[in-house]
Amino acid sequence: MLALAFLAALVAAVAGPAGGCARRSGPTWPADNSLTVAIDAPPLHLDPRVGTDAASSDASDLLMHGLLGTDAAGELVPRLAARWETLDGGRRLRFHLRSGVRFHDGRRLGAADVAWTFNSIVDGTVATAKRAAFAALDRVEVVDPLTVDFHLHEPAASFPVELTLGVVPDGVLPAAMAEHPVGTGPFRFVSRGPDRLVLAAFEECFAGRPRLDRLVLDVVPDTTVRVLELLDGSVQLVVNDLPPDLVPRFRADPAYQVVEGPSTDSAYLGFNLRDPALADLRVRRAIAHAIDRERLVATLWRGLGAVTDTLLPPGNWARAEDLPTIPHDPAEARRLLAEAGHERLRLTLKTSTTETYLLQAQVIQAMLADVGIDLEVRALEFATFYEDVKRGNFQLFTLVRTGVLDPHIYHLALHSQSTPPTGHNRGFWSNPRFDALIDRAARLPERERRRPLYVEAQHIVARELPYVSLYTKWNVAVMPAELAGYENHLRGPFLALPQVWWNRPGPAAP
């Protein structure tokens, strides 16, 4: 924890006493109508059909629109679709597109673009780990230039949530999107380097021109540099990428504001169930009993989260509130390991080099050592780490699943047909009863009939532990006091950026 202590001292020295006054030197904000956002890792792919990491999803929210979107509370709202209707008993969804919508390159959006985006996923033209999310979709048919029909294999009540995926132009493949992404979103692509993505306001955005002229996503993987750049004003927004120890200092500094709110992001510890040791439920339960999640949230995360036993965030209509909690119980962990035949067990955990997550891994390492598990922590640059996770090249890993809005996420994350490369069941868990519950719930239209099925499915997960839920994160955005309009969005931290503006005299003010 020494590095975080040093950073806290550094912020105190630059910002002056908490609550207080004197600053050695104030930050200098940009004179033009631009905003630079610090992110800890670059987007791995700018095609929304392919990118599955958080940075790619955040970039897609700026560059693309889906047929549907979400409001700040996470509820589905129309975007490219003006309206839609359900036909054939739920086996067909008809979407009527807005007229006059343009892509960044001037092309008009039409039904063919929508059909191409989704058909390229389900027919395998585009290789993607998101394919399992569209298992219910047979094909998309062009009805007329502004109307499309989604033909489903069977009714699927959760299917519309997948239509927040960004729509790309007809015929465009991921290689072209990686070089120069084109969408209908509020910002258009300008340039990209290894450490920077530059966007500009899209003047003809159907939803309205964003208030900023220019938006830069600056990759700053080092925590110390990220904090220093926020302090001197070379970056002006950091969301969920500051050490929790430093948040109170920024709260107390009148030059900054901190916008906090709930999120749909769930942190978890993943297991590779093809590993002989981890295939044993007793070992997985021992690991869960060894981790003091309450202490982890209270100390390392400074209360900016809540311990959870499910992927679904608090308030979700399908969340099981009666799940058996696995308490911190080192004695029970040792007993389970001995019962499984392990006097001392050696395992490897992979994580990213982001400082707070590396510290989290080291805290878990110490907790497991206390019960007889020698955990080797391997911290890798994010792209390498994430590629290992996607390929199943791990024993244990820690990640955050973002944007969890609908319980059908369990199909993509844990269904036996959602293993890589077409899904996110990277631990290769399989439970026929769980599969049947998820499949049946997807076919029912009424939430009151679906909920008991999802609750039972969550109980199965809690008993079998294909992963350990750690905590639901709290969104924390730190920015200058003069930046106005930022609102916490449940699904994605960058969804608010088209509405932010500099609250100062000049053309940028409303």
Side-chain angles (χ1 to χ4, degrees), residues 52-54 57 129-130 263-269 310-313 357 386 389 397-406 408-414 418 423-427 467 469 471-473 490-491:
T52 57
D53 58 292
S57 297
K130 294 183 179 181
S263 83
T264 56
D265 297 353
S266 178
Y268 65 101
L269 175 72
T310 173
L311 282 179
L312 301 181
Y357 288 109
Y386 195 60
V389 170
F397 70 90
T398 55
L399 260 180
V400 176
R401 184 169 290 279
T402 62
V404 178
L405 293 174
D406 191 276
H408 197 59
I409 188 66
Y410 279 108
H411 187 285
L412 181 65
L414 289 173
S418 296
H424 295 183
N425 183 1
R426 294 154 180 157
Y467 64 90
S469 284
Y471 49 85
T472 298
K473 292 187 68 177
L490 278 177
R491 187 175 68 83

Side-chain angles (χ1 to χ4, degrees), residues 177-441:
M177 291 291 286
E179 290 295 320
H180 192 112
V182 175
T184 63
F187 293 94
R188 59 178 178 81
F189 177 84
V190 175
S191 64
R192 183 183 188 181
D195 302 317
R196 175 168 284 207
L197 176 64
V198 180
L199 309 177
F202 180 36
E203 302 286 345
E204 297 181 72
C205 180
F206 78 92
R209 183 197 190 280
R211 290 178 155 182
L212 296 169
D213 295 334
R214 185 170 176 264
L215 182 63
V216 178
L217 304 186
D218 216 0
V219 180
V220 188
D222 184 85
T223 303
T224 303
V225 176
R226 202 179 309 136
V227 171
L228 290 174
E229 291 193 0
L230 184 60
L231 287 169
D232 71 18
S234 53
V235 303
Q236 301 94 45
L237 176 65
V238 181
V239 186
N240 297 335
D241 280 332
L242 285 182
D245 273 355
L246 301 190
V247 173
R249 279 289 177 181
F250 283 104
R251 285 196 198 108
D253 189 331
Y256 297 89
Q257 60 176 313
V258 179
V259 178
E260 303 174 60
S263 83
T264 56
D265 297 353
S266 178
Y268 65 101
L269 175 72
F271 298 121
N272 189 336
L273 273 67
R274 296 177 299 179
D275 182 274
L278 296 171
D280 190 327
L281 175 58
R282 293 169 296 186
V283 172
R284 301 197 300 275
R285 289 192 68 83
I287 291 171
H289 278 298
I291 299 173
D292 189 342
R293 297 178 296 165
E294 295 285 355
R295 186 170 134 217
L296 189 68
V297 171
T299 56
L300 180 64
W301 292 101
R302 295 297 186 260
L304 297 174
V307 170
T308 184
D309 294 294
T310 173
L311 282 179
L312 301 181
N316 187 281
W317 61 269
R319 179 183 167 98
E321 301 293 353
D322 59 345
L323 292 174
T325 295
I326 298 182
H328 177 232
D329 190 341
E332 177 64 6
R334 294 186 198 100
R335 187 194 69 77
L336 286 166
L337 287 171
E339 184 181 301
H342 299 287
E343 182 177 344
R344 198 81 193 174
L345 182 60
R346 295 186 64 84
L347 295 170
T348 300
L349 179 145
K350 291 187 176 180
T351 188
S352 75
T353 53
T354 300
E355 185 169 5
T356 308
Y357 288 109
L358 177 55
L359 285 170
Q360 175 177 270
Q362 292 166 345
V363 170
I364 292 173
Q365 180 186 47
M367 291 174 176
L368 296 191
D370 186 47
V371 303
I373 298 175
D374 297 322
L375 189 67
E376 178 189 355
V377 173
R378 292 186 187 171
L380 305 169
E381 182 271 329
F382 183 80
T384 303
F385 160 62
Y386 195 60
E387 191 60 34
D388 278 356
V389 170
K390 290 193 295 181
R391 291 192 335 229
N393 182 22
F394 60 86
Q395 283 185 302
L396 302 125
F397 70 90
T398 55
L399 260 180
V400 176
R401 184 169 290 279
T402 62
V404 178
L405 293 174
D406 191 276
H408 197 59
I409 188 66
Y410 279 108
H411 187 285
L412 181 65
L414 289 173
H415 197 285
S416 62
Q417 294 181 3
S418 296
T419 53
T422 61
H424 295 183
N425 183 1
R426 294 154 180 157
F428 290 84
W429 179 63
S430 178
N431 181 290
R433 175 62 180 166
F434 173 88
D435 288 354
L437 289 166
I438 295 300
D439 290 341
R440 184 179 167 207

